[in-house]
Amino acid sequence: MRSIVLTKGVPDFSEGAVSFDEDGHLERGKTPTVMNPNDKFAVQAALQTRVRHGGHVSGMSMGPPGYADVLKEAMETVYTDDNYLLSDRELAASDTWATAITLCAGLETYQEEVGDIDIVFAGFKSADGETGQTGPQTAWAMDWPIVTHVLALDIDPDERVLRAKRLVEGDIDEIETVEVPLPCFVVTDPEFEPTYRKASHRLTHKQLRAETEERAADHEEHLTTWNHEDLNLDPDYIGLDGSPTIVSSVDPIPKAPSEREATMIDPGDEDEMSEMLEEMQPYATGAGD
Amino acid sequence: MSTESDDTGEYEHYEAVVVGCGPGGAAAAARLADHGVETLVLERGTEAGSKNVSGGLIYAEESAAYTIDDLFDGFREAAAERPVTDYHIHNIAGNKVKSYELTDLHEHDTDWCDAVLRRQMDSWLERRVHEKTSETGGGVLTDVRVNGLLRENGEIVGVTCDELDPIKADLIVGADGVNSELARDAGLMDWEEPDEWFQGVKAVVDMEPDVVNDRFGIDDDEGVAHLFSGDLFEDVRGGGFLYTNEDSLSIGTVFHLDSLVEENAEPHELLDALLTHPLLAQWLRDDYDEREYSAKLVPDSKKVAHPEPYQDRLVLVGDAAGQMQAQGPIIKGMNHAVTAGALAADAFVVTRDDAESEAAGRRYAQMLEKSGTMDKLRPRRYELSRGVGEHDLVESAVDRVLESRVGSLAVGNPIANGLLKRAYNSPFLVSMLPDTSTGYVTLPTVIGEQHGRTIHWGSEIEPPTLEERIGDLTYDTDVGNPHIELRDESAEASGAAVHACPVSAEDFGGGCYRSETVKTNGTEETLVSLDTQPCIECGTCAIVADTEWEHPRGGKGVEYREG
Ligand SMILES: Cc1cc2nc3c(=O)[nH]c(=O)nc-3n(C[C@H](O)[C@H](O)[C@H](O)COP(=O)(O)OP(=O)(O)OC[C@H]3O[C@@H](n4cnc5c(N)ncnc54)[C@H](O)[C@@H]3O)c2cc1C
Ligand code: SF4
């Protein structure tokens, strides 16, 4: 089982040290960064999967070099084996779409260079942007099924399916159980709580913690940074220039169907990219299904 | 570990499951791992030691089959405080004190003896045990409370836990200490009679190493033990102790629980009586800084050490089996728990191929007997003298004689002085001392009066109040899930706990037990109420009140830093 956990940093509002530039854009470099609180549920889900089924967990984040600290935090709290930072000046101030595309490129680069991914875990929404769309958009871009609002999950590695209990929000909250084939995306709900009811799982957990203490001490050794060239991304379509979103309101998360035909897009191909961005526009402005 | 099915169905299986990581459990687990046995250790504390209290001097007896340093290399350097190089008993009558050196008794059958603090000691043991057991496919899990025995067709085959699915094992070691829920579940021990228990209460007092050296006249690698008896505890049977640690003192009291109940004594006040006695002022001066207040029950092996501490695949070791020896003023529980734990492991290994489920238990009981452990715990001569000593008539007759001028003069004459010192130092005699106030109160008081020197200074110590002591403790309260429930709130059934609970007191609203006067239809009734929040899990009210008593869930409740 190989999982990726997507995490991002958010400005540490608690410190009251948030800094904006003249145009009202957040100056990430000048604001202390911590792990997005909602990503903690995602990383816990990744850890639970690792403890129960073994395998490898990598952390991935897109952001300025300072996000290495966020990945370090992921290593310390959920014992990621290694971390990948997608970082480049060209990637600064991306909106969720550009971020999704970059992350998608990161995941594909990972598959090429490191290994096939079974599950990508993402947080609910970030504490700063509050869009909650990066996960679904990245899944959409990867054309993998996605399960959102996950409260509990169970994986059958032999059948290569993931069963999840998810919260269906409504007048009365309901819990439904869904089954998706691997590879897939999982977006955890803040109510997600990992459970370790088997002694062997707790022993594994303890073992991982001990191993991680050593690893986290020289965290840099386990960090790979990829820039837009490594990711084969065109700067025109990423970063601020490639961010089409004008945030008006934030609405339901588009739910990707479990089965869908994949359309591969070369991020270097200008036409293909514009076409794709056009297609995505309605979702991004909150008119999704 | 082998799993018989997936998440939904059956249970994980380990060759051995050890419940509790105190000295008994640690010894059993280390020895099992040394034999290559796959061993899982379950400990309810957030770290081993966080729930444990002892005086505590750990003895390595020359005659013991196993000592702690046999099983754990480097124990004394890494886990213990100071070795005891000097040993005294003080007989107190008012402000008159007669002291005897007890070194002979202390050194009898003693290879070495070190003071310990349990958080430091047990957490060190836990790490060593985890290293050892990890190598044979197991390990130590903390924050897990075992809540009962798993049975199949009426036979014990494993354990059930609050935090984990049930676990099966070929051997289950109940090393869960005093108030063992496993021993009770198996019907091997009950929690009925107060006269089968002592209650120990302790304060750890901060003191810089060079101040310890200076005030006790010792070097860095030396330590002292002082015991106290006489009338400073009024008529409550028991005594006090003071041991030196590296940078603190352990000062405490151990009383017969039945006596505490009979006298309506307040344990914290008895401790304060010791702390504020002028005798202690020479060491404490006026800068008293209490790091921690703690308490726990202690079984009296003479009465409760189970001769056959096993059932099916379950074996009990240490306090869980009542293996706590009060050898006169010397308290030996940790060392016996270690020996018993290691013997239980050996018994399992030699009977491994025997299909019969009680084979290990039976062999273990034989080994306890053969190694001489059982005779230390339940000396035959005590069994013989018990009937006599406990006879009220005999007791009061002896007391009357001692208290009379003739008797006092007899004990008080100069020849008696030498004899008394010899008597205190005789392991044979102290093991025969009946559990009456004669040995604990009357005799020491008379000795103090007749031979004692008067102390002419006072004490300036003001120990913290109960409220401050509770306030200084660390708790992780299991809100809405109290671990003790009062079954009968009448004063007759449960009123004794208001006094005997070490964190409760008459007229103190912040403790666990309170008594309230309720008026119904013109009649007044005294009822008892319980709030478990300040509970320090000593076990007292399991015996002296009518309760539904359990330990809190894993990691919940009080967390001792010193122990
Ligand atoms: C004030 C005082 C002074 C003492 N002085 C001395 C002394 O000087 N010398 C001496 O040798 N002895 C002394 N003793 C006695 C000594 O502390 C005990 O005899 C000794 O600790 C027994 O060891 P054990 O391993 O059997 O049990 P413990 O040390 O009590 O260990 C039991 C372990 O099991 C765990 N546990 C309990 N229930 C569960 C459960 N359901 N699930 C999981 N884990 C559980 C506990 O957290 C604990 O870690 C003293 C005791 C007291 C209270
Ligand atoms: S409530 Fe019971 S177990 Fe808790 S401290 Fe008081 S007497 Fe001890």
Side-chain angles (χ1 to χ4, degrees):
Chain A
M1 198 63 47
R2 183 182 285 277
S3 312
I4 301 274
V5 29
L6 297 182
T7 177
K8 65 178 287 194
V10 292
D12 188 356
F13 294 111
S14 65
E15 298 215 13
V18 200
S19 157
F20 296 94
D21 68 10
E22 284 164 9
D23 300 331
H25 286 115
L26 193 66
E27 285 190 310
R28 285 248 147 104
K30 291 189 186 164
T31 309
T33 308
V34 293
M35 188 195 286
N36 170 27
N38 287 322
D39 289 348
K40 299 212 163 123
F41 310 105
V43 288
Q44 289 301 340
L47 175 60
Q48 178 185 285
T49 306
R50 163 81 174 281
V51 165
R52 291 191 182 174
H53 304 284
H56 191 103
V57 178
S58 300
M60 188 177 283
S61 189
M62 176 197 149
Y67 274 33
D69 289 342
V70 176
L71 287 166
K72 182 170 183 225
E73 205 180 322
M75 183 173 274
E76 283 162 355
T77 49
V78 293
Y79 326 138
T80 55
D81 292 274
D82 44 23
N83 289 326
Y84 294 82
L85 179 62
L86 319 182
S87 184
D88 196 319
R89 258 214 310 281
E90 307 281 358
L91 303 178
S94 305
D95 75 351
T96 59
W97 271 115
T99 304
I101 289 160
T102 311
L103 285 172
C104 174
L107 293 173
E108 301 209 313
T109 308
Y110 184 96
Q111 300 227 78
E112 274 160 34
E113 296 193 5
V114 189
D116 283 343
I117 301 164
D118 297 300
I119 308 174
V120 177
F121 291 94
F124 175 57
K125 50 186 172 184
S126 66
D128 56 348
E130 287 297 327
T131 60
Q133 299 182 17
T134 309
Q137 286 166 343
T138 314
W140 199 93
M142 291 292 286
D143 199 22
W144 285 0
I146 178 162
V147 200
T148 56
H149 294 282
V150 170
L151 300 170
L153 49 89
D154 186 25
I155 295 156
D156 187 335
D158 300 329
E159 297 285 316
R160 294 196 53 75
V161 294
L162 177 144
R163 261 169 241 113
K165 282 205 173 67
R166 62 184 296 271
L167 188 71
V168 188
E169 283 177 332
D171 293 340
I172 303 163
D173 287 353
E174 279 176 52
I175 292 174
E176 67 173 16
T177 305
V178 295
E179 198 175 287
V180 290
L182 301 179
C184 69
F185 266 66
V186 170
V187 178
T188 44
D189 190 86
E191 299 279 304
F192 178 90
E193 260 198 63
T195 52
Y196 302 102
R197 298 261 335 158
K198 292 212 177 297
S200 56
H201 290 163
R202 293 217 180 185
L203 288 172
T204 307
H205 192 285
K206 188 167 171 172
Q207 169 88 25
L208 289 174
R209 182 167 62 217
E211 285 169 12
T212 310
E213 266 165 31
E214 289 168 28
R215 204 166 51 234
D218 49 8
H219 162 250
E220 306 280 305
E221 301 258 305
H222 304 277
L223 177 71
T224 305
T225 305
W226 284 331
N227 62 21
H228 77 273
E229 275 167 19
D230 300 319
L231 296 171
N232 202 15
L233 280 174
D234 184 337
D236 286 348
Y237 291 97
I238 51 174
L240 198 51
D241 296 341
S243 291
T245 311
I246 298 151
V247 179
S248 54
S249 75
V250 184
D251 250 32
I253 297 164
K255 207 171 87 191
S258 306
E259 298 291 336
R260 184 185 301 168
E261 241 175 51
T263 319
M264 296 304 289
I265 296 167
D266 176 6
D269 183 325
E270 213 170 295
D271 288 337
E272 272 184 34
M273 285 297 277
S274 334
E275 227 178 276
M276 182 192 73
L277 289 173
E278 233 161 74
E279 259 194 75
M280 290 175 175
Q281 194 78 13
Y283 299 108
T285 52
D289 52 11
Chain B
M1 185 276 313
S2 62
T3 308
E4 289 177 30
S5 97
D6 62 10
D7 276 0
T8 50
E10 284 172 38
Y11 309 132
E12 284 189 350
H13 172 270
Y14 290 79
E15 279 184 286
V17 167
V18 177
V19 182
C21 196
R31 192 80 192 126
L32 284 164
D34 286 345
H35 286 301
V37 178
E38 177 196 56
T39 306
L40 176 69
V41 184
L42 302 174
E43 163 59 49
R44 72 185 180 94
T46 198
E47 181 178 61
S50 62
K51 294 292 184 183
N52 304 343
V53 185
S54 82
L57 301 182
I58 187 160
Y59 281 85
E61 290 185 329
E62 279 158 8
S63 62
Y66 290 99
T67 61
I68 189 110
D69 57 332
D70 288 343
L71 301 168
F72 297 96
D73 269 353
F75 172 86
R76 298 187 68 192
E77 296 73 30
E81 301 284 321
R82 294 171 187 252
V84 175
T85 45
D86 239 336
Y87 209 118
H88 304 271
I89 187 160
H90 307 276
N91 298 278
I92 298 175
N95 58 351
K96 288 181 86 177
V97 178
K98 176 65 195 171
S99 308
Y100 292 119
E101 215 186 290
L102 264 192
T103 312
D104 287 351
L105 176 61
H106 166 69
E107 288 182 350
H108 167 77
D109 194 25
T110 302
D111 183 8
W112 55 263
C113 170
D114 290 352
V116 292
L117 289 168
R118 293 294 298 275
R119 181 68 183 260
Q120 160 73 14
M121 164 175 141
D122 294 15
S123 61
W124 185 86
L125 289 174
E126 180 203 316
R127 290 189 291 277
R128 298 292 85 72
V129 169
H130 184 68
E131 281 163 21
K132 280 176 185 257
T133 50
S134 298
E135 278 172 26
T136 57
V140 182
L141 293 179
T142 53
D143 291 316
V144 176
R145 169 180 163 261
V146 171
N147 59 22
L149 294 162
L150 179 69
R151 290 185 174 83
E152 253 174 33
N153 307 321
E155 198 177 294
I156 298 165
V157 294
V159 294
T160 57
C161 312
D162 289 345
E163 293 78 14
L164 299 176
D165 294 340
I167 300 162
K168 290 175 126 186
D170 302 335
L171 175 75
I172 301 132
V173 180
D176 47 341
V178 73
N179 295 89
S180 160
E181 290 170 83
L182 295 191
R184 194 180 50 160
D185 189 341
L188 292 168
M189 300 285 264
D190 63 39
W191 299 351
E192 306 292 337
E193 301 301 328
D195 74 341
E196 295 174 347
W197 313 84
F198 302 96
Q199 185 198 65
V201 175
K202 183 170 98 159
V204 177
V205 182
D206 195 66
M207 196 174 273
E208 288 295 316
D210 49 331
V211 179
V212 175
N213 293 354
D214 187 44
R215 295 197 187 161
F216 292 88
I218 50 178
D219 282 336
D220 283 345
D221 51 358
E222 292 176 334
V224 296
H226 290 279
L227 300 177
F228 310 91
S229 62
D231 69 358
L232 83 166
F233 305 120
E234 316 236 317
D235 281 330
V236 194
R237 281 178 282 122
F241 60 84
L242 180 156
Y243 307 135
T244 49
N245 302 314
E246 260 155 40
D247 61 357
S248 62
L249 307 177
S250 292
I251 306 178
T253 52
V254 177
F255 290 105
H256 281 276
L257 188 55
D258 55 329
S259 180
L260 274 175
V261 171
E262 275 158 27
E263 305 292 332
N264 273 345
E266 294 285 356
H268 70 286
E269 287 177 1
L270 296 174
L271 176 67
D272 292 348
L274 173 62
L275 290 169
T276 56
H277 193 274
L279 180 59
L280 272 76
Q282 60 182 311
W283 301 306
L284 297 176
R285 309 279 167 86
D286 55 359
D287 50 344
Y288 182 81
D289 179 6
E290 190 171 297
R291 281 197 208 156
E292 187 173 89
Y293 175 76
S294 60
K296 184 147 293 311
L297 282 194
V298 184
D300 184 353
S301 69
K302 291 194 291 297
K303 293 174 181 160
V304 296
H306 201 296
E308 292 182 330
Y310 63 89
Q311 193 176 108
D312 303 331
R313 295 172 187 282
L314 170 73
V315 296
L316 302 176
V317 308
D319 278 8
Q323 295 162 344
M324 191 354 273
Q325 179 194 12
Q327 189 185 34
I330 292 185
I331 296 180
K332 291 181 171 175
M334 292 182 277
N335 59 316
H336 293 311
V338 167
T339 305
L343 289 178
D346 290 349
F348 173 70
V349 173
V350 294
T351 56
R352 225 170 174 179
D353 299 329
D354 195 328
E356 217 258 298
S357 63
E358 286 199 333
R362 228 184 348 259
R363 180 63 68 96
Y364 163 58
Q366 286 164 6
M367 289 167 133
L368 281 175
E369 193 64 48
K370 267 210 185 122
S371 61
T373 313
M374 216 48 217
D375 194 48
K376 291 176 191 164
L377 297 171
R378 286 193 95 133
R380 270 175 268 276
R381 41 180 191 280
Y382 174 78
E383 301 278 329
L384 294 176
S385 63
R386 179 177 182 177
V388 185
E390 284 189 340
H391 200 283
D392 284 352
L393 269 177
V394 177
E395 180 192 348
S396 58
V398 175
D399 277 5
R400 269 208 304 279
V401 173
L402 278 171
E403 279 163 4
S404 73
R405 267 186 60 80
V406 181
S408 300
L409 281 179
V411 178
N413 93 30
I415 300 172
N417 190 13
L419 278 176
L420 284 166
K421 183 178 173 191
R422 281 227 320 272
Y424 265 113
N425 274 291
S426 156
F428 178 79
L429 280 181
V430 295
S431 70
M432 260 174 60
L433 269 186
D435 291 330
T436 63
S437 58
T438 309
Y440 285 107
V441 185
T442 316
L443 190 58
T445 307
V446 172
I447 296 171
E449 260 165 19
Q450 298 298 325
H451 296 284
R453 284 214 319 251
T454 306
I455 298 174
H456 292 289
W457 59 85
S459 168
E460 289 175 25
I461 304 274
E462 267 186 47
T465 62
L466 211 42
E467 190 170 12
E468 288 164 336
R469 283 172 164 154
I470 294 169
D472 284 343
L473 286 166
T474 308
Y475 293 95
D476 180 354
T477 308
D478 198 354
V479 183
N481 193 14
H483 61 284
I484 309 171
E485 284 185 29
L486 255 187
R487 255 195 312 234
D488 185 339
E489 53 185 22
S490 71
E492 301 75 57
S494 303
V498 179
H499 297 280
C501 168
V503 287
S504 303
E506 196 72 55
D507 300 327
F508 171 53
C512 292
Y513 283 91
R514 297 150 209 195
S515 53
E516 298 155 337
T517 311
V518 187
K519 280 190 193 142
T520 38
N521 304 333
T523 54
E524 273 196 6
E525 203 186 355
T526 306
L527 291 181
V528 178
S529 67
L530 166 66
D531 168 12
T532 54
Q533 202 279 324
C535 174
I536 51 175
E537 301 159 32
C538 73
T540 300
C541 64
I543 319 287
V544 307
D546 190 358
T547 57
E548 200 80 60
W549 200 100
E550 289 187 345
H551 290 103
R553 284 193 294 152
K556 295 293 178 187
V558 72
E559 180 190 338
Y560 289 127
R561 312 259 161 173
E562 307 286 338

